[in-house]
Every structure is written in C-alpha cells, then in structure tokens.
Amino acid sequence: MPELPEVETVKRGLAPVLEGRRIVQAEALRPDLRFPLPNRLGQRLTGRVVSHVKRRAKFLLIGLDDGATLISHLGMSGRFRIFKKAPPALEKHDHVIFRTDQGAEVRYNDPRRFGFMDIADAGALINHPMLNSIGPEPLSDNFDAKVLAQALKDRQAPIKTALLDQSVIAGLGNIYVSEVLFRAGISPKRKAASVIGLRASKLYNAIVDVLNQAISAGGSSISDHRQPSGELGYFQHSFGVYGREGEACPGCNCNISKTGGVRRIQQSGRSTFYCTKQQR
DNA sequence: CGGCAAACCTGCGAGC
DNA sequence: TGCTCGCAGGTTTGCC
C-alpha cells in the first residue's frame, strides 16, 4: 500500500491518538514480520509515553520518552487502524497491538508481512541501517531541482529506476513515479543522467505537486490502503496513467488504436505506465 | 559500485 | 465451483 503520501496519511492519523499518550499495553502477536520483531517488543513499549510521531521516507518514527524510537515500515500491505473505544475482535493478520492510557487501541495489520518494525535506542536512529542511506525528503526545504539533478547525474539507469531508488530521493514508489513522470512529460526510459535543466525543474515541480495533492486526498486506496480512521484515500481517482493501460492518455487524448494511449511496460521487474506521445 | 532477477508472503481477479 | 496464473503500493540479497 504505502508510498510517501500514504505513510504521511498514516502518520497524521496516528499522531493525535499517540502523541503525549502513555502506552499502557503493547503486544506482538507473532515473532516476526519480514524480519524478526525486536525482542520483548511489548515490554519495551509498555509504560512509555510517545513524544512524537514522524515520517522519514516511507518509515514511521514513533519517538518514546526514554529517547528510543520505534521504527515502522508498512511494506506492501501494512496498515494501522485506530479504535478509540470498544475494539472489535482481532482480525486475520493483526500482528501488533498498542493500547493507550485514553483507552484507544492501535493495531498493525499486514497480510503479506513485508513490513517491519525495529527499535532504535536513544542516539542510534541516525545510524540505523534502514535509514542511514536514504536520500532527501522531496517536500523539505533543502530539496530543489538542483539537488534532484545532482542526485541523478551519474546514473545510467532509466529515470524510472533511479526515482524508485530511495537513496536518490525518499518516499517515491511505483505508483507515484509513473504519475510524476507523466506530469513532467518525461519518458520513464530516459537515462536518469540526461534529466537536467528545464526537464529537471519540471520533474521537481511534478514531484512536489503530485505528492502534495496525494497527501491532501488521504493517499491512494487501490486495495489495501486505509487511513487509520478506516476512511479510504481518494487520490487514485486522479491517476493520469497508473493502472490505465489501454485507455486514452488524459494529457494529449491520443487514442488507443495503434500508436497512442497509455502503455504498460516492465522496468526492473515492475510495471511502468506512460504515454509514448507525451513523455519524451 | 551499478544494475538486474529473485526472494520474501498472502490475496484477488481473470481465464479456463 | 475450483484450479492455475499473473499481478500487487517495497526492500534486501545475491549474482554478474
């Protein structure tokens, strides 16, 4: 489910329920997700007060009053749900549960278990192996077209592949890369290093616009993503190309017959959607 | 180091 | 109805 906008949506849902609250009970219902869960996860969290909930790339960072940080990644199918009162019976694939001193219950559910959680002790967050090589946050002040072009300049791989690389830019995934390249008018096959000058600034603008719009929409709900409240995101209705193979391109309206329309190709094992006429 | 395929795991829809 | 196949929002690992 989750790319930057979805994780940001989850963060915004969790923050008001967790920040400043004491975790009165925490429990892991199985020993592992993608990797083993931290030893005694429940005991380490129980009694702690949550100081903040943040996001870095696609990671949720839940800060605790002892200086440690719970790091959570949702993988492909991870979900947090909040029940402010009277939580229903456990569902299939509920793996981790927290209860707060206000009686709210937060559950992590993840059918595919590609997600993971870890705890970084005070001071160890910056050097955490999952976080220490992540590139700039696209919505931060220190990211702009120049930084972007610089990050791309030695890459021979297609721009699609480079933008998926979290060390180049943080938080983009398969959906938003297709959408961003479509809006920027850049072919996904173009060599990353050739995205310079005007193209780089168009790409930068497309990244910022698409991410901000998707966050405003509560993310994209294709099959799994829910806001922690249970509500669906609705940015999927604004997709230009993702999942629209064979449809007329909404940008140039070229039709499907022979040359036009939205195409789907495979790039490093993953689907890319684009318009051959409009993206160069 | 760069780049790609495979691996991790479950669920769903399409097609037979 | 039921089986098989292909596909899915991510990341790591191992192999050129």
Side-chain angles (χ1 to χ4, degrees):
Chain A
M1 118 188 166
E3 303 181 32
L4 187 153
E6 289 74 36
V7 180
E8 180 66 24
T9 299
V10 172
K11 186 213 99 174
R12 293 183 185 187
L14 291 179
V17 175
L18 291 179
E19 284 182 346
R21 305 318 327 163
R22 188 175 299 277
I23 298 172
V24 296
Q25 188 184 1
E27 193 179 355
L29 303 179
R30 56 173 299 130
D32 57 354
L33 298 172
R34 165 118 195 235
F35 306 116
L37 288 163
N39 288 328
R40 301 169 51 251
L41 176 70
Q43 291 95 318
R44 291 186 70 178
L45 296 177
T46 299
R48 300 272 60 80
V49 172
V50 174
S51 53
H52 60 261
V53 180
K54 295 183 182 175
R55 177 192 60 74
R56 169 76 171 114
K58 300 170 190 170
F59 293 86
L60 287 166
L61 305 176
I62 300 176
L64 307 171
D65 60 351
D66 61 0
T69 302
L70 176 66
I71 303 168
S72 170
H73 193 292
L74 305 176
M76 292 278 260
S77 57
R79 247 161 77 168
F80 276 99
R81 291 296 310 279
I82 295 166
F83 303 101
K84 292 194 173 165
K85 54 182 72 166
L90 286 179
E91 291 174 37
K92 199 172 183 184
H93 307 305
D94 281 343
H95 302 314
V96 182
I97 300 181
F98 313 95
R99 292 193 190 88
T100 75
D101 57 0
Q102 288 184 319
E105 181 163 313
V106 174
R107 287 189 194 167
Y108 179 73
N109 180 290
D110 188 354
R112 295 178 72 178
R113 302 201 304 278
F114 284 0
F116 47 86
M117 285 187 197
D118 198 5
I119 295 178
D121 291 326
L125 187 62
I126 303 174
N127 297 318
H128 192 281
M130 305 299 271
L131 297 170
N132 65 4
S133 62
I134 289 179
E137 281 292 322
L139 300 180
S140 72
D141 291 341
N142 48 26
F143 182 71
D144 57 26
K146 253 190 183 153
V147 171
L148 177 60
Q150 179 68 24
L152 297 172
K153 87 173 172 41
D154 293 325
R155 303 263 167 177
Q156 302 306 304
I159 185 68
K160 156 75 189 291
T161 309
L163 293 177
L164 277 180
D165 186 335
Q166 299 297 294
S167 70
V168 170
I169 177 172
L172 294 182
N174 208 39
I175 290 179
Y176 292 102
V177 167
S178 275
E179 290 302 309
V180 153
L181 289 172
F182 170 67
R183 296 216 192 178
I186 297 172
S187 167
K189 298 183 193 174
R190 171 177 282 276
K191 192 202 291 184
S194 76
V195 177
I196 55 176
L198 180 60
R199 267 203 187 83
S201 51
K202 276 183 151 179
L203 179 56
Y204 166 75
N205 287 327
I207 289 169
V208 172
D209 290 349
V210 167
L211 292 178
N212 278 326
Q213 288 167 25
I215 290 168
S216 297
S220 302
S221 292
I222 294 180
S223 60
D224 288 328
H225 170 64
R226 296 283 176 121
Q227 305 185 43
S229 61
E231 287 181 83
L232 296 169
Y234 54 88
F235 190 72
Q236 66 278 12
H237 303 302
S238 302
F239 288 171
V241 289
Y242 187 84
R244 300 195 183 285
E245 180 183 19
E247 296 181 26
C249 164
C252 58
N253 209 25
C254 56
N255 69 37
I256 316 155
S257 53
K258 292 257 160 62
T259 55
V262 177
R263 296 272 183 85
R264 177 166 72 131
I265 58 172
Q266 292 283 124
Q267 288 180 291
S268 42
R270 313 197 63 192
S271 289
T272 301
F273 298 86
Y274 75 115
C275 169
T276 51
K277 281 182 92 170
Q278 185 163 304
Q279 294 177 244
R280 301 285 166 158

